[in-house]
Amino acid sequence: NVSLWAFWSNWDTYDNRQEMERAVKLLNESGTHIDIRSTEIKGVTHSDMAFTPFTEEFFDWAIMQRRIPQ
């Protein structure tokens, strides 16, 4: 099981949301379960995205993630 939070910007020159959704679908079909969140951040460039997602909400979510024993 994998937790993933994907971020993208409406100013990105390449929109990879469809590829992300396809990858998640393939992984889920293979037996891997992905718990996914996705957030579009408006008005920033790809370079600005390096720090933008790191909010209190993100850190609270990240701290709650646990490795599930196999």
Side-chain angles (χ1 to χ4, degrees), residues 12-31:
D12 272 344
T13 55
Y14 178 72
D15 184 347
N16 63 355
R17 284 177 282 183
Q18 289 181 339
E19 286 88 353
M20 179 190 67
E21 290 167 0
R22 188 171 68 93
V24 168
K25 181 179 182 236
L26 290 170
L27 285 166
N28 284 335
E29 289 172 353
S30 75

Side-chain angles (χ1 to χ4, degrees), residues 7-13 40-53:
F7 296 89
W8 65 87
S9 168
N10 64 326
W11 286 4
D12 272 344
T13 55
E40 178 181 14
I41 298 176
K42 297 181 186 252
V44 297
T45 65
H46 187 80
S47 298
D48 295 333
M49 292 289 292
F51 300 104
T52 303

Side-chain angles (χ1 to χ4, degrees), residues 1-4 28 31-35 66-70:
N1 292 340
V2 176
S3 295
L4 173 71
N28 284 335
T32 300
H33 174 72
I34 297 204
D35 175 25
R66 299 286 183 260
R67 182 177 180 176
I68 299 173
Q70 299 289 340

Side-chain angles (χ1 to χ4, degrees), residues 51-67:
F51 300 104
T52 303
F54 300 120
T55 63
E56 185 174 341
E57 179 185 10
F58 173 80
F59 285 114
D60 289 345
W61 172 84
I63 289 168
M64 296 302 296
Q65 303 310 304
R66 299 286 183 260
R67 182 177 180 176

